[in-house]
mmCIF file of all heavy atoms in Angstrom:
data_model
loop_
_atom_site.group_PDB
_atom_site.id
_atom_site.type_symbol
_atom_site.label_atom_id
_atom_site.label_comp_id
_atom_site.label_asym_id
_atom_site.label_seq_id
_atom_site.Cartn_x
_atom_site.Cartn_y
_atom_site.Cartn_z
ATOM 1 N N MET A 1 108.830 118.191 194.801
ATOM 2 C CA MET A 1 109.919 117.918 193.853
ATOM 3 C C MET A 1 110.407 116.490 193.997
ATOM 4 O O MET A 1 110.580 115.797 193.005
ATOM 5 C CB MET A 1 111.081 118.922 194.102
ATOM 6 C CG MET A 1 112.272 118.679 193.209
ATOM 7 S SD MET A 1 113.737 119.632 193.738
ATOM 8 C CE MET A 1 114.207 118.752 195.260
ATOM 9 N N GLU A 2 110.641 116.050 195.255
ATOM 10 C CA GLU A 2 111.133 114.704 195.469
ATOM 11 C C GLU A 2 110.164 113.662 194.995
ATOM 12 O O GLU A 2 110.571 112.478 194.695
ATOM 13 C CB GLU A 2 111.460 114.575 196.963
ATOM 14 C CG GLU A 2 112.634 115.362 197.442
ATOM 15 C CD GLU A 2 112.778 115.417 198.962
ATOM 16 O OE1 GLU A 2 111.901 114.896 199.669
ATOM 17 O OE2 GLU A 2 113.776 116.032 199.425
ATOM 18 N N LEU A 3 108.876 114.005 194.965
ATOM 19 C CA LEU A 3 107.851 113.035 194.568
ATOM 20 C C LEU A 3 107.475 113.176 193.056
ATOM 21 O O LEU A 3 106.538 112.563 192.613
ATOM 22 C CB LEU A 3 106.597 113.209 195.402
ATOM 23 C CG LEU A 3 106.775 112.760 196.856
ATOM 24 C CD1 LEU A 3 105.589 113.208 197.737
ATOM 25 C CD2 LEU A 3 106.932 111.247 196.973
ATOM 26 N N GLY A 4 108.281 113.974 192.330
ATOM 27 C CA GLY A 4 108.168 113.962 190.893
ATOM 28 C C GLY A 4 107.397 115.077 190.238
ATOM 29 O O GLY A 4 107.179 115.092 189.041
ATOM 30 N N LEU A 5 106.890 116.058 191.032
ATOM 31 C CA LEU A 5 106.154 117.162 190.413
ATOM 32 C C LEU A 5 107.149 118.145 189.730
ATOM 33 O O LEU A 5 108.378 118.087 189.992
ATOM 34 C CB LEU A 5 105.330 117.942 191.441
ATOM 35 C CG LEU A 5 104.139 117.220 192.057
ATOM 36 C CD1 LEU A 5 103.333 118.157 192.923
ATOM 37 C CD2 LEU A 5 103.239 116.598 190.974
ATOM 38 N N ASN A 6 106.632 119.004 188.921
ATOM 39 C CA ASN A 6 107.478 119.933 188.138
ATOM 40 C C ASN A 6 107.950 121.068 188.988
ATOM 41 O O ASN A 6 107.580 122.238 188.806
ATOM 42 C CB ASN A 6 106.678 120.398 186.926
ATOM 43 C CG ASN A 6 107.569 121.198 185.965
ATOM 44 O OD1 ASN A 6 108.800 121.006 185.934
ATOM 45 N ND2 ASN A 6 106.968 122.063 185.174
ATOM 46 N N VAL A 7 108.753 120.760 189.948
ATOM 47 C CA VAL A 7 109.406 121.718 190.841
ATOM 48 C C VAL A 7 110.908 121.476 190.775
ATOM 49 O O VAL A 7 111.333 120.287 190.909
ATOM 50 C CB VAL A 7 108.919 121.613 192.313
ATOM 51 C CG1 VAL A 7 109.665 122.566 193.232
ATOM 52 C CG2 VAL A 7 107.419 121.793 192.398
ATOM 53 N N THR A 8 111.711 122.472 190.542
ATOM 54 C CA THR A 8 113.126 122.296 190.290
ATOM 55 C C THR A 8 113.935 122.561 191.580
ATOM 56 O O THR A 8 113.465 123.315 192.491
ATOM 57 C CB THR A 8 113.646 123.225 189.222
ATOM 58 O OG1 THR A 8 113.551 124.569 189.641
ATOM 59 C CG2 THR A 8 112.858 123.026 187.899
ATOM 60 N N GLN A 9 115.150 122.047 191.618
ATOM 61 C CA GLN A 9 116.065 122.289 192.751
ATOM 62 C C GLN A 9 116.409 123.793 192.812
ATOM 63 O O GLN A 9 116.544 124.340 193.930
ATOM 64 C CB GLN A 9 117.304 121.477 192.582
ATOM 65 C CG GLN A 9 118.279 121.594 193.773
ATOM 66 C CD GLN A 9 117.667 121.004 195.057
ATOM 67 O OE1 GLN A 9 117.241 119.855 195.098
ATOM 68 N NE2 GLN A 9 117.612 121.788 196.124
ATOM 69 N N GLU A 10 116.501 124.429 191.646
ATOM 70 C CA GLU A 10 116.820 125.855 191.621
ATOM 71 C C GLU A 10 115.720 126.675 192.311
ATOM 72 O O GLU A 10 115.998 127.628 193.029
ATOM 73 C CB GLU A 10 116.984 126.353 190.166
ATOM 74 C CG GLU A 10 118.299 125.836 189.515
ATOM 75 C CD GLU A 10 118.200 124.348 189.119
ATOM 76 O OE1 GLU A 10 117.068 123.810 189.007
ATOM 77 O OE2 GLU A 10 119.287 123.757 188.945
ATOM 78 N N GLN A 11 114.459 126.264 192.060
ATOM 79 C CA GLN A 11 113.346 126.955 192.737
ATOM 80 C C GLN A 11 113.360 126.770 194.231
ATOM 81 O O GLN A 11 113.142 127.709 195.023
ATOM 82 C CB GLN A 11 112.050 126.475 192.125
ATOM 83 C CG GLN A 11 111.771 126.931 190.723
ATOM 84 C CD GLN A 11 110.555 126.271 190.116
ATOM 85 O OE1 GLN A 11 110.321 125.060 190.266
ATOM 86 N NE2 GLN A 11 109.761 127.077 189.371
ATOM 87 N N VAL A 12 113.637 125.539 194.660
ATOM 88 C CA VAL A 12 113.712 125.254 196.115
ATOM 89 C C VAL A 12 114.829 126.005 196.760
ATOM 90 O O VAL A 12 114.724 126.606 197.815
ATOM 91 C CB VAL A 12 113.919 123.736 196.341
ATOM 92 C CG1 VAL A 12 114.178 123.442 197.782
ATOM 93 C CG2 VAL A 12 112.651 122.952 195.864
ATOM 94 N N ASP A 13 115.989 126.097 196.053
ATOM 95 C CA ASP A 13 117.134 126.818 196.581
ATOM 96 C C ASP A 13 116.825 128.324 196.709
ATOM 97 O O ASP A 13 117.264 128.950 197.653
ATOM 98 C CB ASP A 13 118.357 126.614 195.686
ATOM 99 C CG ASP A 13 118.923 125.171 195.759
ATOM 100 O OD1 ASP A 13 118.631 124.476 196.710
ATOM 101 O OD2 ASP A 13 119.651 124.789 194.838
ATOM 102 N N GLU A 14 116.076 128.833 195.761
ATOM 103 C CA GLU A 14 115.729 130.218 195.804
ATOM 104 C C GLU A 14 114.826 130.506 197.001
ATOM 105 O O GLU A 14 114.978 131.542 197.693
ATOM 106 C CB GLU A 14 115.010 130.634 194.497
ATOM 107 C CG GLU A 14 114.734 132.153 194.387
ATOM 108 C CD GLU A 14 114.045 132.501 193.082
ATOM 109 O OE1 GLU A 14 113.051 131.817 192.766
ATOM 110 O OE2 GLU A 14 114.533 133.428 192.391
ATOM 111 N N LEU A 15 113.883 129.599 197.242
ATOM 112 C CA LEU A 15 112.980 129.733 198.393
ATOM 113 C C LEU A 15 113.827 129.705 199.688
ATOM 114 O O LEU A 15 113.610 130.509 200.617
ATOM 115 C CB LEU A 15 111.974 128.615 198.428
ATOM 116 C CG LEU A 15 110.899 128.653 197.319
ATOM 117 C CD1 LEU A 15 109.993 127.412 197.437
ATOM 118 C CD2 LEU A 15 110.038 129.914 197.464
ATOM 119 N N LYS A 16 114.761 128.791 199.777
ATOM 120 C CA LYS A 16 115.587 128.694 200.965
ATOM 121 C C LYS A 16 116.455 129.916 201.181
ATOM 122 O O LYS A 16 116.646 130.367 202.332
ATOM 123 C CB LYS A 16 116.475 127.456 200.885
ATOM 124 C CG LYS A 16 115.736 126.135 201.039
ATOM 125 C CD LYS A 16 116.687 124.925 200.965
ATOM 126 C CE LYS A 16 115.897 123.630 201.159
ATOM 127 N NZ LYS A 16 116.828 122.435 201.095
ATOM 128 N N ALA A 17 116.955 130.486 200.109
ATOM 129 C CA ALA A 17 117.847 131.673 200.210
ATOM 130 C C ALA A 17 117.109 132.862 200.756
ATOM 131 O O ALA A 17 117.733 133.787 201.332
ATOM 132 C CB ALA A 17 118.416 132.002 198.841
ATOM 133 N N ASN A 18 115.820 132.917 200.616
ATOM 134 C CA ASN A 18 114.993 134.093 201.079
ATOM 135 C C ASN A 18 114.094 133.723 202.262
ATOM 136 O O ASN A 18 113.183 134.458 202.569
ATOM 137 C CB ASN A 18 114.181 134.619 199.937
ATOM 138 C CG ASN A 18 115.020 135.268 198.863
ATOM 139 O OD1 ASN A 18 115.441 136.424 198.973
ATOM 140 N ND2 ASN A 18 115.345 134.512 197.793
ATOM 141 N N ALA A 19 114.372 132.620 202.894
ATOM 142 C CA ALA A 19 113.488 132.153 203.953
ATOM 143 C C ALA A 19 113.339 133.080 205.153
ATOM 144 O O ALA A 19 112.245 133.292 205.686
ATOM 145 C CB ALA A 19 113.949 130.791 204.452
ATOM 146 N N ASP A 20 114.445 133.692 205.545
ATOM 147 C CA ASP A 20 114.440 134.545 206.764
ATOM 148 C C ASP A 20 114.371 136.029 206.504
ATOM 149 O O ASP A 20 114.166 136.820 207.437
ATOM 150 C CB ASP A 20 115.654 134.200 207.620
ATOM 151 C CG ASP A 20 115.647 132.795 208.129
ATOM 152 O OD1 ASP A 20 114.535 132.308 208.432
ATOM 153 O OD2 ASP A 20 116.720 132.215 208.304
ATOM 154 N N ASP A 21 114.549 136.421 205.292
ATOM 155 C CA ASP A 21 114.594 137.835 204.900
ATOM 156 C C ASP A 21 113.172 138.246 204.410
ATOM 157 O O ASP A 21 112.959 138.432 203.262
ATOM 158 C CB ASP A 21 115.632 138.108 203.834
ATOM 159 C CG ASP A 21 115.739 139.565 203.465
ATOM 160 O OD1 ASP A 21 115.381 140.405 204.325
ATOM 161 O OD2 ASP A 21 116.165 139.859 202.361
ATOM 162 N N ILE A 22 112.257 138.402 205.358
ATOM 163 C CA ILE A 22 110.889 138.634 204.991
ATOM 164 C C ILE A 22 110.646 140.142 204.675
ATOM 165 O O ILE A 22 110.977 141.008 205.486
ATOM 166 C CB ILE A 22 109.936 138.169 206.103
ATOM 167 C CG1 ILE A 22 110.079 136.661 206.342
ATOM 168 C CG2 ILE A 22 108.474 138.506 205.732
ATOM 169 C CD1 ILE A 22 109.244 136.105 207.457
ATOM 170 N N ASN A 23 110.081 140.378 203.516
ATOM 171 C CA ASN A 23 109.759 141.732 203.092
ATOM 172 C C ASN A 23 108.372 142.118 203.654
ATOM 173 O O ASN A 23 107.395 142.160 202.900
ATOM 174 C CB ASN A 23 109.787 141.841 201.570
ATOM 175 C CG ASN A 23 109.070 140.727 200.874
ATOM 176 O OD1 ASN A 23 108.719 139.695 201.507
ATOM 177 N ND2 ASN A 23 108.842 140.863 199.594
ATOM 178 N N TYR A 24 108.357 142.432 204.888
ATOM 179 C CA TYR A 24 107.117 142.735 205.636
ATOM 180 C C TYR A 24 106.321 143.893 205.007
ATOM 181 O O TYR A 24 105.091 143.915 204.987
ATOM 182 C CB TYR A 24 107.371 142.978 207.104
ATOM 183 C CG TYR A 24 107.665 141.736 207.918
ATOM 184 C CD1 TYR A 24 108.894 141.525 208.442
ATOM 185 C CD2 TYR A 24 106.646 140.775 208.150
ATOM 186 C CE1 TYR A 24 109.186 140.404 209.190
ATOM 187 C CE2 TYR A 24 106.956 139.628 208.828
ATOM 188 C CZ TYR A 24 108.226 139.428 209.379
ATOM 189 O OH TYR A 24 108.475 138.297 210.093
ATOM 190 N N ASP A 25 107.048 144.909 204.512
ATOM 191 C CA ASP A 25 106.341 146.037 203.963
ATOM 192 C C ASP A 25 105.529 145.680 202.744
ATOM 193 O O ASP A 25 104.418 146.176 202.569
ATOM 194 C CB ASP A 25 107.391 147.130 203.604
ATOM 195 C CG ASP A 25 108.501 146.603 202.668
ATOM 196 O OD1 ASP A 25 108.714 145.377 202.639
ATOM 197 O OD2 ASP A 25 109.146 147.437 202.011
ATOM 198 N N VAL A 26 106.050 144.761 201.940
ATOM 199 C CA VAL A 26 105.292 144.317 200.761
ATOM 200 C C VAL A 26 104.069 143.544 201.173
ATOM 201 O O VAL A 26 102.980 143.717 200.635
ATOM 202 C CB VAL A 26 106.215 143.481 199.859
ATOM 203 C CG1 VAL A 26 105.415 142.866 198.682
ATOM 204 C CG2 VAL A 26 107.389 144.312 199.328
ATOM 205 N N ALA A 27 104.234 142.633 202.162
ATOM 206 C CA ALA A 27 103.122 141.805 202.618
ATOM 207 C C ALA A 27 102.023 142.686 203.215
ATOM 208 O O ALA A 27 100.826 142.420 202.975
ATOM 209 C CB ALA A 27 103.629 140.802 203.653
ATOM 210 N N LYS A 28 102.371 143.670 204.007
ATOM 211 C CA LYS A 28 101.377 144.531 204.650
ATOM 212 C C LYS A 28 100.628 145.367 203.622
ATOM 213 O O LYS A 28 99.417 145.513 203.699
ATOM 214 C CB LYS A 28 102.040 145.449 205.639
ATOM 215 C CG LYS A 28 102.563 144.734 206.930
ATOM 216 C CD LYS A 28 103.229 145.723 207.870
ATOM 217 C CE LYS A 28 103.710 144.967 209.116
ATOM 218 N NZ LYS A 28 104.432 145.853 210.047
ATOM 219 N N LYS A 29 101.340 145.867 202.653
ATOM 220 C CA LYS A 29 100.676 146.645 201.581
ATOM 221 C C LYS A 29 99.734 145.763 200.778
ATOM 222 O O LYS A 29 98.607 146.198 200.506
ATOM 223 C CB LYS A 29 101.760 147.261 200.679
ATOM 224 C CG LYS A 29 101.156 148.120 199.615
ATOM 225 C CD LYS A 29 102.285 148.734 198.685
ATOM 226 C CE LYS A 29 101.667 149.512 197.562
ATOM 227 N NZ LYS A 29 102.741 150.067 196.669
ATOM 228 N N ARG A 30 100.148 144.559 200.465
ATOM 229 C CA ARG A 30 99.311 143.648 199.699
ATOM 230 C C ARG A 30 98.084 143.255 200.483
ATOM 231 O O ARG A 30 96.997 143.121 199.916
ATOM 232 C CB ARG A 30 100.155 142.437 199.336
ATOM 233 C CG ARG A 30 99.436 141.429 198.458
ATOM 234 C CD ARG A 30 99.161 141.945 197.100
ATOM 235 N NE ARG A 30 98.621 140.926 196.210
ATOM 236 C CZ ARG A 30 98.200 141.155 194.957
ATOM 237 N NH1 ARG A 30 98.272 142.403 194.449
ATOM 238 N NH2 ARG A 30 97.722 140.209 194.238
ATOM 239 N N GLU A 31 98.236 143.028 201.804
ATOM 240 C CA GLU A 31 97.092 142.603 202.593
ATOM 241 C C GLU A 31 95.985 143.665 202.638
ATOM 242 O O GLU A 31 94.805 143.366 202.713
ATOM 243 C CB GLU A 31 97.522 142.194 204.021
ATOM 244 C CG GLU A 31 96.393 141.571 204.840
ATOM 245 C CD GLU A 31 96.844 140.994 206.160
ATOM 246 O OE1 GLU A 31 98.056 141.064 206.504
ATOM 247 O OE2 GLU A 31 95.990 140.470 206.889
ATOM 248 N N LYS A 32 96.427 144.934 202.623
ATOM 249 C CA LYS A 32 95.399 146.004 202.606
ATOM 250 C C LYS A 32 94.567 145.956 201.318
ATOM 251 O O LYS A 32 93.417 146.338 201.299
ATOM 252 C CB LYS A 32 96.084 147.356 202.719
ATOM 253 C CG LYS A 32 96.601 147.661 204.141
ATOM 254 C CD LYS A 32 97.215 149.055 204.175
ATOM 255 C CE LYS A 32 97.692 149.373 205.603
ATOM 256 N NZ LYS A 32 98.320 150.740 205.658
ATOM 257 N N GLU A 33 95.200 145.457 200.264
ATOM 258 C CA GLU A 33 94.478 145.358 199.018
ATOM 259 C C GLU A 33 93.608 144.125 198.868
ATOM 260 O O GLU A 33 92.451 144.243 198.414
ATOM 261 C CB GLU A 33 95.528 145.323 197.861
ATOM 262 C CG GLU A 33 96.369 146.602 197.754
ATOM 263 C CD GLU A 33 97.469 146.457 196.740
ATOM 264 O OE1 GLU A 33 97.553 145.397 196.066
ATOM 265 O OE2 GLU A 33 98.325 147.356 196.612
ATOM 266 N N VAL A 34 94.133 142.946 199.322
ATOM 267 C CA VAL A 34 93.410 141.685 199.030
ATOM 268 C C VAL A 34 92.693 141.120 200.306
ATOM 269 O O VAL A 34 91.922 140.178 200.235
ATOM 270 C CB VAL A 34 94.350 140.645 198.485
ATOM 271 C CG1 VAL A 34 94.971 141.076 197.182
ATOM 272 C CG2 VAL A 34 95.478 140.245 199.474
ATOM 273 N N ARG A 35 92.975 141.714 201.499
ATOM 274 C CA ARG A 35 92.340 141.293 202.753
ATOM 275 C C ARG A 35 92.526 139.784 202.996
ATOM 276 O O ARG A 35 91.627 139.089 203.457
ATOM 277 C CB ARG A 35 90.837 141.580 202.704
ATOM 278 C CG ARG A 35 90.472 143.029 202.496
ATOM 279 C CD ARG A 35 90.953 143.907 203.635
ATOM 280 N NE ARG A 35 90.620 145.332 203.386
ATOM 281 C CZ ARG A 35 91.007 146.318 204.196
ATOM 282 N NH1 ARG A 35 91.753 146.074 205.218
ATOM 283 N NH2 ARG A 35 90.637 147.563 203.910
ATOM 284 N N HIS A 36 93.748 139.305 202.708
ATOM 285 C CA HIS A 36 94.021 137.876 202.941
ATOM 286 C C HIS A 36 95.476 137.732 203.340
ATOM 287 O O HIS A 36 96.367 137.988 202.544
ATOM 288 C CB HIS A 36 93.736 137.086 201.690
ATOM 289 C CG HIS A 36 93.573 135.598 201.939
ATOM 290 N ND1 HIS A 36 94.676 134.763 202.258
ATOM 291 C CD2 HIS A 36 92.508 134.781 201.985
ATOM 292 C CE1 HIS A 36 94.234 133.524 202.416
ATOM 293 N NE2 HIS A 36 92.962 133.502 202.244
ATOM 294 N N ASP A 37 95.725 137.375 204.603
ATOM 295 C CA ASP A 37 97.095 137.359 205.089
ATOM 296 C C ASP A 37 97.986 136.345 204.392
ATOM 297 O O ASP A 37 99.141 136.613 204.015
ATOM 298 C CB ASP A 37 97.131 137.158 206.583
ATOM 299 C CG ASP A 37 96.375 135.924 207.074
ATOM 300 O OD1 ASP A 37 95.760 135.229 206.257
ATOM 301 O OD2 ASP A 37 96.514 135.614 208.299
ATOM 302 N N VAL A 38 97.458 135.134 204.157
ATOM 303 C CA VAL A 38 98.305 134.096 203.559
ATOM 304 C C VAL A 38 98.701 134.454 202.149
ATOM 305 O O VAL A 38 99.873 134.399 201.735
ATOM 306 C CB VAL A 38 97.594 132.712 203.600
ATOM 307 C CG1 VAL A 38 98.441 131.710 202.793
ATOM 308 C CG2 VAL A 38 97.428 132.241 205.025
ATOM 309 N N MET A 39 97.683 134.866 201.348
ATOM 310 C CA MET A 39 97.991 135.219 199.940
ATOM 311 C C MET A 39 98.862 136.469 199.842
ATOM 312 O O MET A 39 99.646 136.637 198.902
ATOM 313 C CB MET A 39 96.673 135.453 199.174
ATOM 314 C CG MET A 39 95.827 134.158 198.950
ATOM 315 S SD MET A 39 96.888 132.798 198.308
ATOM 316 C CE MET A 39 97.385 133.428 196.711
ATOM 317 N N SER A 40 98.788 137.312 200.847
ATOM 318 C CA SER A 40 99.703 138.499 200.885
ATOM 319 C C SER A 40 101.136 138.074 201.046
ATOM 320 O O SER A 40 102.046 138.636 200.426
ATOM 321 C CB SER A 40 99.287 139.423 202.031
ATOM 322 O OG SER A 40 97.960 139.889 201.833
ATOM 323 N N HIS A 41 101.352 137.083 201.909
ATOM 324 C CA HIS A 41 102.699 136.596 202.117
ATOM 325 C C HIS A 41 103.169 135.672 200.994
ATOM 326 O O HIS A 41 104.383 135.644 200.725
ATOM 327 C CB HIS A 41 102.799 135.899 203.481
ATOM 328 C CG HIS A 41 102.988 136.816 204.609
ATOM 329 N ND1 HIS A 41 104.275 137.189 205.088
ATOM 330 C CD2 HIS A 41 102.114 137.559 205.336
ATOM 331 C CE1 HIS A 41 104.103 138.080 206.070
ATOM 332 N NE2 HIS A 41 102.869 138.328 206.230
ATOM 333 N N VAL A 42 102.272 134.996 200.323
ATOM 334 C CA VAL A 42 102.631 134.248 199.102
ATOM 335 C C VAL A 42 103.139 135.234 198.088
ATOM 336 O O VAL A 42 104.170 135.056 197.422
ATOM 337 C CB VAL A 42 101.452 133.457 198.558
ATOM 338 C CG1 VAL A 42 101.763 132.915 197.165
ATOM 339 C CG2 VAL A 42 101.090 132.268 199.487
ATOM 340 N N TYR A 43 102.391 136.318 197.935
ATOM 341 C CA TYR A 43 102.783 137.383 196.958
ATOM 342 C C TYR A 43 104.162 137.992 197.324
ATOM 343 O O TYR A 43 105.004 138.130 196.468
ATOM 344 C CB TYR A 43 101.712 138.478 196.957
ATOM 345 C CG TYR A 43 102.030 139.653 196.094
ATOM 346 C CD1 TYR A 43 101.768 139.657 194.743
ATOM 347 C CD2 TYR A 43 102.611 140.795 196.684
ATOM 348 C CE1 TYR A 43 102.062 140.753 193.938
ATOM 349 C CE2 TYR A 43 102.912 141.902 195.889
ATOM 350 C CZ TYR A 43 102.640 141.879 194.513
ATOM 351 O OH TYR A 43 102.935 142.973 193.746
ATOM 352 N N ALA A 44 104.339 138.303 198.608
ATOM 353 C CA ALA A 44 105.596 138.940 199.034
ATOM 354 C C ALA A 44 106.765 137.984 198.817
ATOM 355 O O ALA A 44 107.864 138.398 198.398
ATOM 356 C CB ALA A 44 105.525 139.339 200.486
#
């Protein structure tokens, strides 16, 4: 965002607001489907 890409402050704030409240159940369920830990957590 700071370097000019199409990322808004509202999006960054939303990410920060949910930084520590990880929905592990969603990530685990997704990983069983896609077999990829990083993309499962991106999805969650």
Side-chain angles (χ1 to χ4, degrees):
M1 178 190 71
E2 291 168 356
L3 291 168
L5 292 187
N6 189 24
V7 178
T8 67
Q9 185 64 55
E10 289 74 21
Q11 289 173 319
V12 172
D13 290 342
E14 188 179 49
L15 292 175
K16 289 182 177 179
N18 291 279
D20 294 328
D21 183 25
I22 299 178
N23 47 348
Y24 284 113
D25 54 338
V26 175
K28 288 179 181 178
K29 181 180 178 182
R30 183 68 174 175
E31 188 171 0
K32 287 183 179 180
E33 297 172 5
V34 300
R35 302 295 180 186
H36 197 288
D37 56 352
V38 173
M39 292 310 297
S40 300
H41 276 267
V42 169
Y43 175 84

